[in-house]
Amino acid sequence: MPELPEVETVRVTLEKEISNEEFAQVDAHYPKIITNDTHEFKQKIVGQKINRIDRMGKYLIFILDQDALIIHLRMEGKFFIKLDEPIQKHEHVVFHFKSGRNLRYHDVRKFGTITLIPLSEYLDTYPLNQLGDEPKDINIEHFYSVLNKKNTEIKAVLLDQHIIAGLGNIYVDETLFLSHVHPTRIASSITYDEAKWIIQAAIQVLDKAIQLGGTTIRSYTSSLGVHGRFQNELNVHMKANEPCPRCQTKIIKMKVKGRGTYVCPSCQK
DNA sequence: CCCGTGCCCTGGCGGC
DNA sequence: TGCCGCCAGGGCACGG
């Protein structure tokens, strides 16, 4: 489940590995991953070079000569760099470079998406034009005024990428724990100070996770075998029945808007 | 506009 | 041991 820190880890690794590579051919073994018309996609991308790799929220953005390649890894998307060797199970899209190396998109659940959009439009086009600011760029007054109008649980608001970009299930649980806010609180009841604590906690959690290369739990590993270490820093996520690090109360697992949610019932209000 | 539900997909796990 | 059924989850389409 790559969230902002895992995607950033992938971005850094990929930029180091494949900047300046030129696309020679694309094999789409499972074409649904690519949201463009497959034929047009291949025709356009061949001959372009990777100049830079950016990230916005959980999206990776390959800056090519004419177009931006916009990638969302969803739950289990990952990349591998290989030479020409047999295709493995779950390698759905293979980008062949002129150098002879391949970039392989691997995704057990096939939920990820890859989209090619001209450089002149990509920031003003779906999906990136829908994206809210990341926690580090959020204006607190504006965020507070948005919360004020929301009649839904705070956890759902923090997961909404239109409002705030980069947080997923793990980091929302951790952010709410650090800010002492209970995930089922109705957003409009959040005070200005709590809104400020939430943003500060989100920034702190994401920064720490980026420093540690992200979180490796379940089946998710970063690209190229990189393993994050933030799982050792988790306070509540996946900690059902363990003592709260602050007050020793048992962490409970509950459902919030259908999402597995971990909370300290005593010190999150 | 706002919010809830179901869908996409497959490996892994619990239950028997 | 083997099989079945269900769950996980980000984001969108759709419906009330």
Side-chain angles (χ1 to χ4, degrees):
Chain A
M1 26 234 62
E3 304 178 33
L4 191 154
E6 292 74 37
V7 178
E8 177 62 15
T9 302
V10 172
R11 185 196 72 77
V12 169
T13 309
L14 284 179
E15 188 165 66
K16 204 180 309 166
E17 286 289 328
I18 59 170
S19 284
N20 298 314
E21 289 281 13
E22 182 180 328
F23 292 98
Q25 188 194 324
V26 179
D27 295 331
H29 298 100
Y30 183 79
K32 279 183 73 175
I33 300 285
I34 297 169
T35 64
N36 310 79
D37 173 83
T38 311
H39 181 70
E40 266 181 48
F41 178 90
K42 291 182 183 182
Q43 210 163 36
K44 283 187 179 171
I45 201 169
V46 167
Q48 296 200 55
K49 199 161 61 77
I50 299 170
N51 296 305
R52 191 174 83 229
I53 300 180
D54 291 345
R55 181 191 53 72
M56 289 174 66
K58 306 177 195 172
Y59 289 89
L60 279 172
I61 306 163
F62 290 26
I63 302 296
L64 313 183
D65 297 325
Q66 309 295 331
D67 296 301
L69 189 64
I70 298 165
I71 297 155
H72 198 302
L73 305 171
R74 284 297 204 284
M75 260 69 78
E76 300 198 21
K78 50 188 74 110
F79 282 109
F80 295 101
I81 295 167
K82 299 187 175 180
L83 296 172
D84 284 317
E85 53 193 273
I87 298 301
Q88 300 298 305
K89 197 176 180 184
H90 307 307
E91 290 180 348
H92 303 307
V93 182
V94 179
F95 298 92
H96 298 264
F97 296 127
K98 256 196 173 155
S99 66
R101 299 201 298 165
N102 307 164
L103 178 67
R104 302 189 181 190
Y105 180 72
H106 178 289
D107 189 346
V108 169
R109 299 210 185 151
K110 301 179 173 174
F111 274 16
T113 55
I114 298 179
T115 305
L116 195 68
I117 302 179
L119 283 180
S120 58
E121 306 170 11
Y122 78 100
L123 290 172
D124 306 315
T125 312
Y126 172 87
L128 295 184
N129 67 344
Q130 305 289 309
L131 212 53
D133 286 329
E134 295 181 8
K136 67 177 172 53
D137 300 318
I138 285 256
N139 175 285
I140 306 276
E141 281 77 13
H142 178 252
F143 178 65
Y144 174 62
S145 77
V146 171
L147 292 188
N148 229 323
K149 297 180 195 105
K150 287 277 172 192
N151 194 29
T152 185
E153 291 144 320
I154 183 65
K155 175 159 181 175
V157 176
L158 296 178
L159 286 171
D160 186 341
Q161 305 297 302
H162 304 95
I163 296 170
I164 182 167
L167 298 171
N169 206 34
I170 298 173
Y171 296 112
V172 166
D173 282 358
E174 294 298 310
T175 293
L176 287 172
F177 174 77
L178 286 186
S179 41
H180 298 254
V181 172
H182 198 283
T184 60
R185 278 276 298 286
I186 298 301
S188 58
S189 79
I190 300 289
T191 65
Y192 182 86
D193 279 346
E194 286 173 329
K196 191 171 67 183
W197 296 336
I198 288 170
I199 296 302
Q200 287 171 348
I203 293 170
Q204 183 187 327
V205 166
L206 295 176
D207 278 354
K208 185 74 181 288
I210 289 171
Q211 282 173 33
L212 295 178
T215 301
T216 306
I217 59 172
R218 300 246 180 98
S219 59
Y220 185 73
T221 55
S222 299
S223 63
L224 314 173
V226 178
H227 287 257
R229 286 168 286 124
F230 190 74
Q231 62 275 14
N232 304 321
E233 310 290 321
L234 295 172
N235 286 301
V236 286
H237 192 81
M238 299 291 282
K239 302 284 188 188
N241 297 319
E242 294 184 35
C244 166
R246 269 195 308 243
C247 74
Q248 317 308 319
T249 305
K250 260 193 186 180
I251 303 297
I252 59 166
K253 181 179 184 183
M254 59 189 297
K255 287 266 187 188
V256 178
K257 289 281 188 289
R259 303 273 178 252
T261 300
Y262 299 84
V263 56
C264 172
S266 171
C267 62
Q268 289 177 252
K269 305 291 185 192

